[in-house]
Amino acid sequence: MSGTGGDRLAKDVPPRARDLADPDRSRDTPVLRLESVRKTYGSSVVLRDIALDVPAHTVTALIGASGSGKSTLLRCANLLEEIDDGAIFLDGEDITDPRADQDAVRRRIGVVFQAYNLFPHMTVLDNITLAPRRVHGVPRGEAEERARELLARLGLADRAAEYPDRLSGGQQQRVAILRAVATRPRLLLLDEVTAALDPELVGEVLSVVRDLKEQGMTMVIATHEMAFARDVADQVCFLDAGVILERGTPAEVFGAPAEQRTRDFLRRITEAGRL
């Protein structure tokens, strides 16, 4: 993917991401807040008393070994998993309250998984426009116009009529991200979006994420790409055995980690040539 991705996306930033002085929301209220969140599967505790604030227009990177709870945290934040204790707030609203409209909540949160999850029987254009049309009530013509603009800015205009199995892995993941962005989400959750890609395709997907960061999209990213997390994140959380063991700026966590478990993890990553 060329380095002009930022220019391509700059004219199509979701209004909520662009509007830094949103009169309907306090600047002091984080977009996402987790308070004492606990999640178990049977006797196994997957998340332990998780507390996390994600301010507007920032990127939070979740790092840690496989099985540390990163993906589960994202699934709980999007209400795909029911928490056992604690509370989760979206723009100050307790979305884990049983009275909360979960469908309405999910309409405000975009999610991209590592397995793309594109509908194989639908074209690229139909994949991107499905949620805006069916969930958000956007007229077909308007939804398709926006989708074509997004595709054009990422060099995928000629792929609109293709089916997912005709695309490379990197192209499929870029379409998956565009599908999430097309709904103009308040919050974007990315779960290991490069894990299923060949190494040469990772860069083009990370470039899209970097563009969204530059345009002010609020994101929480679970990733094994340590160099990317160091470069793009505003805060980094190291998860270990379901606990946020350490958090701070990239300089703090990667440059001077306070916890021995963090140091051990980063040492292994560095020895493997991934940082």
Side-chain angles (χ1 to χ4, degrees), residues 82-229:
E82 184 177 352
I83 64 175
D84 296 297
D85 200 3
I88 300 175
F89 298 85
L90 183 66
D91 284 319
E93 173 192 352
D94 183 356
I95 61 175
T96 48
D97 187 313
R99 296 166 295 183
D101 184 339
Q102 295 192 358
D103 290 335
V105 169
R106 293 191 185 103
R107 285 196 290 269
R108 296 158 60 194
I109 302 175
V111 185
V112 184
F113 299 101
Q114 61 177 284
Y116 321 140
N117 290 331
L118 298 175
F119 294 109
H121 63 291
M122 292 184 177
T123 65
V124 166
L125 186 65
D126 287 339
N127 265 280
I128 295 175
T129 60
L130 180 64
R133 291 190 294 107
R134 295 288 183 86
V135 179
H136 295 264
V138 178
R140 177 182 289 273
E142 181 181 338
E144 290 188 351
E145 181 181 5
R146 174 171 168 76
R148 291 184 187 281
E149 289 174 355
L150 287 168
L151 288 166
R153 286 171 184 146
L154 291 184
L156 295 172
D158 61 339
R159 300 294 186 175
E162 297 281 8
Y163 288 90
D165 63 359
R166 299 291 300 273
L167 306 180
S168 70
Q171 289 172 333
Q172 289 187 57
Q173 194 60 288
R174 278 187 282 165
V175 170
I177 293 173
L178 291 184
R179 179 176 62 178
V181 172
T183 63
R184 292 186 167 96
R186 175 65 171 157
L187 173 68
L188 185 60
L189 307 176
L190 303 176
D191 187 12
E192 302 287 4
V193 293
T194 60
L197 299 178
D198 293 333
E200 64 268 23
L201 301 177
V202 169
E204 64 186 49
V205 173
L206 295 183
S207 179
V208 175
V209 179
R210 196 183 306 275
D211 293 339
L212 293 173
K213 150 78 173 180
E214 292 174 356
Q215 304 309 323
M217 178 66 72
T218 306
M219 292 182 280
V220 182
I221 304 172
T223 184
H224 287 299
E225 299 291 337
M226 296 299 109
F228 177 71

Side-chain angles (χ1 to χ4, degrees), residues 51-70:
L52 176 65
D53 280 1
V54 179
H57 318 299
T58 66
V59 175
T60 295
L62 308 178
I63 66 171
S66 297
S68 60
K70 304 185 301 297

